[in-house]
Amino acid sequence: MDVFIKGFDWDEANLKKLGKHGVVQEEAEEIFYLSPFVDEGAYEKKKKRYRCLGITSGGRYLAAFFTIRRGFIRNISVRPMRRQERKLYAEKKTT
């Protein structure tokens, strides 16, 4: 992903969705800075979707699904990593 990121784009609905998964905004943003693994996800209506796997400074393993809109990361969903995602993250961080 070769894009200059200006920051994050949040709205009330996205922040509410974070709470559903027990994640706070600071954690959702932090994983992008602390050794993330990012790959391309599915396409929906010609919009690229990405996945970011990362760990917070508090040791939480999170998966974020997002798009890039006008240079800002627009999180669609952020939740704890699933077992397979943790395995993938561990593999990518050791290579």
Side-chain angles (χ1 to χ4, degrees), residues 4 9 17 35-36 39 55 91:
F4 176 75
D9 180 17
K17 198 183 241 186
S35 193
D39 64 354
I55 186 169
E91 290 170 3

Side-chain angles (χ1 to χ4, degrees), residues 1 16 77 83:
M1 183 173 75
K16 187 175 181 179
S77 179
R83 188 176 315 143

Side-chain angles (χ1 to χ4, degrees), residues 15-55:
L15 293 171
K16 187 175 181 179
K17 198 183 241 186
L18 288 178
K20 173 184 167 190
H21 294 294
V23 177
V24 295
Q25 181 180 350
E26 291 76 16
E27 290 177 310
E29 294 179 4
E30 185 178 37
I31 64 169
F32 286 88
Y33 298 108
L34 300 176
S35 193
F37 166 69
V38 177
D39 64 354
E40 287 190 28
Y43 289 80
E44 182 179 306
K45 297 180 183 177
K46 298 184 182 182
K47 291 182 183 177
K48 273 192 179 181
R49 305 290 186 186
Y50 300 93
R51 171 178 61 175
C52 175
L53 302 178
I55 186 169

